[in-house]
Amino acid sequence: MKKRPIDIVVISDIHLGTYGCHAKELIKYLKSINPKQVVLNGDIVDIWQFNKRYWPKSHMKVVKLLMEWITKGVKVHYITGNHDEMMRKFSGFKLGSFSIVNKLVLTIHGKKAWIFHGDVFDVTMQHSKWLAKLGAIGYDTLILINSAVNFCYKKLGRGPVSMSKKIKNSVKSAVKFINNFEQTAADIAIENEFDYVICGHIHQPEIKSVQNDNGSVMYLNSGDWIENLTSLEYVKGEWKLYRYEDDMYIQAYNSDSNDHVEMLEKKELFQSLMAEFNDMVASKVSK
């Protein structure tokens, strides 16, 4: 597959380890790009759901591809989210071109970008974490039901439908939460004189200018790889929103036609991750 050169790619809310994660589609996307800099903006691995022992080989392959970029010297910033909040203990960790941070400020062609996951604006996360975790279980269950519905639709010759997106777009409180989230992020970014504010968390891909009485800022959200299958790409001085569903070329590319879903036990998962980490360290030492 011919790789597209990208200056910066921002990916968030992959939720590896959950039933809803579209890892195979993400693998195709990762194989199709050649980024100079990568921002993983939170909820990459869903540690909240780790007790289910669900970890297909395709999920491990995503980790391998990301590590390949690191060993090649591609700068990779891992910004922690709420579903992978255990990573916040390692904020400040650096190894070669890889770093773990809670938030990131980048200067891009003379403009300042403030990048963070976004759960800091979620009142549920601040005061009722148990409720947020319960909601995550319900969301995962909805995704499972949605998969079964889409399987039946496919048999009937109909296109897929996203139940979670329909619910989110039809419930007034959900729409209000998204609008408040975007405005709050923009207001703080304007106050601190940032040119861009880049978030994830709400699974709502967006690029738009947001204004208030003190000025304006470009608000960007990378979306997710559960419902929308989106990312943000910075190419030739311009931000673009990538949508997998619009990429006919990559959808036609069959990279893993024989790759069946195979579960890995926790011990195997840990050993695989450690093996990949040790290989990465060994590669850096040898250089």
Side-chain angles (χ1 to χ4, degrees):
M1 184 187 292
K2 187 177 180 180
K3 296 180 182 291
R4 292 186 293 111
I6 295 174
D7 296 318
I8 303 171
V9 61
V10 182
I11 305 171
S12 70
D13 300 273
I14 300 174
H15 292 275
L16 292 169
T18 65
Y19 299 119
C21 172
H22 285 78
K24 290 187 177 181
E25 290 83 353
L26 179 57
I27 288 166
K28 287 185 181 182
Y29 172 62
L30 296 179
K31 286 183 175 181
S32 75
I33 60 175
N34 184 23
K36 294 179 181 177
Q37 195 164 181
V38 179
V39 179
L40 302 174
N41 198 6
D43 289 0
I44 305 304
V45 178
D46 199 317
I47 297 174
W48 283 7
Q49 305 287 345
F50 249 38
N51 60 346
K52 292 183 309 196
R53 297 189 177 187
Y54 179 78
W55 192 270
K57 279 191 172 181
S58 57
H59 291 214
M60 191 67 228
K61 196 168 287 186
V62 171
V63 176
K64 281 188 171 185
L65 285 170
L66 295 174
M67 286 189 167
E68 281 179 18
W69 280 345
I70 296 169
T71 56
K72 290 176 181 177
V74 177
K75 190 171 286 187
V76 176
H77 309 276
Y78 192 119
I79 299 177
T80 57
N82 51 303
H83 284 254
D84 48 15
E85 61 186 351
M86 284 179 64
M87 300 287 287
R88 286 176 177 162
K89 297 177 183 178
F90 305 100
S91 180
F93 172 82
K94 290 184 179 181
L95 178 64
S97 61
F98 176 71
S99 62
I100 300 175
V101 293
N102 292 331
K103 58 183 181 293
L104 182 67
V105 175
L106 289 180
T107 300
I108 308 170
H109 290 167
K111 294 185 176 182
K112 289 195 302 178
W114 179 36
I115 312 174
F116 59 100
H117 182 62
D119 55 295
V120 66
F121 296 144
D122 194 330
V123 177
T124 308
M125 278 301 306
Q126 293 176 28
H127 303 292
S128 304
K129 190 172 290 186
W130 66 270
L131 187 60
K133 290 186 176 182
L134 185 63
I137 294 170
Y139 179 76
D140 213 33
T141 304
L142 180 62
I143 292 296
L144 268 177
I145 296 170
N146 202 162
S147 298
V149 170
N150 283 336
F151 176 79
C152 296
Y153 273 18
K154 188 175 181 180
K155 292 291 184 182
L156 296 171
R158 298 174 62 179
V161 63
S162 174
M163 295 167 66
S164 54
K165 284 173 71 174
K166 282 184 176 292
I167 293 170
K168 189 186 296 182
N169 293 334
S170 62
V171 177
K172 288 184 178 180
S173 59
V175 175
K176 183 180 179 182
F177 168 77
I178 291 169
N179 291 337
N180 289 344
F181 177 95
E182 295 173 345
Q183 190 64 53
T184 301
D187 288 344
I188 297 174
I190 291 169
E191 183 181 344
N192 289 277
E193 299 182 345
F194 289 107
D195 299 288
Y196 307 116
V197 55
I198 304 173
C199 307
H201 186 57
I202 58 174
H203 295 204
Q204 193 78 4
E206 187 67 82
I207 296 180
K208 65 180 180 182
S209 177
V210 180
Q211 301 177 341
N212 64 18
D213 293 338
N214 297 316
S216 65
V217 69
M218 185 65 70
Y219 168 86
L220 304 97
N221 195 300
S222 46
D224 64 284
W225 284 84
I226 300 287
E227 305 169 50
N228 298 288
L229 282 62
T230 54
S231 69
L232 293 168
E233 298 179 349
Y234 186 76
V235 185
K236 296 180 179 179
E238 183 181 357
W239 282 104
K240 296 179 180 179
L241 186 60
Y242 171 86
R243 294 183 182 273
Y244 180 87
E245 65 179 13
D246 296 335
D247 195 337
M248 296 298 108
Y249 170 73
I250 199 174
Q251 289 180 43
Y253 180 73
N254 193 2
S255 60
D256 285 312
S257 57
N258 298 318
D259 185 24
H260 62 283
V261 175
E262 183 175 331
M263 307 305 168
L264 296 175
E265 292 295 325
K266 285 185 179 178
K267 186 176 180 181
E268 292 177 276
L269 169 60
F270 179 75
Q271 289 173 343
S272 296
L273 289 171
M274 286 306 299
E276 290 296 326
F277 181 76
N278 290 333
D279 287 345
M280 183 176 71
V281 173
S283 174
K284 288 296 177 184
V285 171
S286 64
K287 289 180 180 180

